[in-house]
Amino acid sequence: MSLRDIVILPDNILKQTSAPFEKIDADVRALADDMFDTMYHAPGIGLAAVQIGLLQRMLVVDVAKEDEPREPICMINPKIVWSSEELSEYEEGCLSIPETYDLVTRPAEIKVTYQDREGANCERHCEGLLATCVQHEIDHLDGILFIDHISRLKRDRIIKKFVKAAKQKAIM
Ligand code: NI
């Protein structure tokens, strides 16, 4: 198990679509372990493989509160098969867009099919923060960031800030 570096905006890989896993083996399980380690260490409540530079369809989430036992969920090849008409709004952030938060509206409940780390086919009904978090991470697998769900004006401002920061870092 080891910590991986997290890719930060405006890295272009974040805009790319991830490919499905064809088989789930020990290497895939080791990757899931690294993703959990990296997410907990950040700390964050969700992480997609693209955020550690791998264009593969895996996400990890844990929305348990700090004083509650951990509830790690790893989804491989996740697919939203149903979304509620009812919407909910959460203030979202992203480990690839540090210290940036904004309100995003998404379906309040979803049903997701995926494979777990043993390769078993699973289906899960998600609501509340878990529904938002899973949708945010599945978006990552399709090259979509939470800032793509906010106004263009705000999005452009955030991107500009990160482009500038990346340039300054390159000079130093
Ligand atoms: Ni994110």
Side-chain angles (χ1 to χ4, degrees):
M1 293 199 286
S2 56
L3 295 178
R4 306 285 193 105
D5 288 335
I6 295 176
V7 172
I8 304 292
L9 191 74
D11 195 312
N12 217 35
I13 198 170
L14 294 169
K15 303 299 292 174
Q16 294 180 43
T17 302
S18 296
F21 285 89
E22 309 233 316
K23 65 170 186 183
I24 296 168
D25 55 16
D27 288 344
V28 176
R29 285 186 279 280
L31 171 62
D33 288 340
D34 284 1
M35 285 185 44
F36 276 118
D37 284 350
T38 305
M39 177 185 79
Y40 287 127
H41 181 260
I45 60 170
L47 189 71
V50 61
Q51 293 181 275
I52 57 164
L54 293 171
L55 287 167
Q56 294 185 291
R57 301 187 81 83
M58 179 193 289
L59 62 87
V60 295
V61 296
D62 187 339
V63 298
K65 294 197 182 78
E66 262 177 64
D67 54 349
E68 290 172 355
R70 282 182 172 176
E71 283 175 44
I73 303 169
C74 172
M75 295 183 175
I76 298 167
N77 302 329
K79 203 173 191 177
I80 296 171
V81 293
W82 173 83
S83 308
S84 65
E85 278 177 35
E86 193 199 332
L87 303 173
S88 70
E89 193 179 50
Y90 274 96
E91 184 164 70
E92 296 190 22
C94 181
L95 293 175
S96 295
I97 316 174
E99 288 158 43
T100 307
Y101 305 91
D102 212 330
L103 289 171
V104 177
T105 304
R106 301 180 187 269
E109 296 175 40
I110 53 167
K111 199 183 277 178
V112 194
T113 60
Y114 60 97
Q115 288 159 284
D116 68 11
R117 44 188 296 150
E118 309 304 327
N121 291 320
C122 304
E123 187 180 278
R124 192 175 183 115
H125 181 261
C126 306
E127 54 186 26
L129 182 57
L130 180 62
T132 283
C133 190
V134 168
Q135 290 174 84
H136 174 122
E137 301 311 329
I138 291 177
D139 267 357
H140 272 300
L141 305 182
D142 294 316
I144 298 165
L145 300 170
F146 85 87
I147 56 171
D148 293 319
H149 293 284
I150 65 177
S151 78
R152 188 177 179 163
L153 186 72
K154 283 189 192 170
R155 177 168 63 250
D156 287 349
R157 201 178 293 153
I158 292 164
I159 292 170
K160 217 170 145 184
K161 190 179 114 186
F162 278 87
V163 167
K164 199 174 155 192
K167 273 186 192 154
Q168 278 171 345
K169 211 175 160 195
I171 295 167
M172 285 194 305

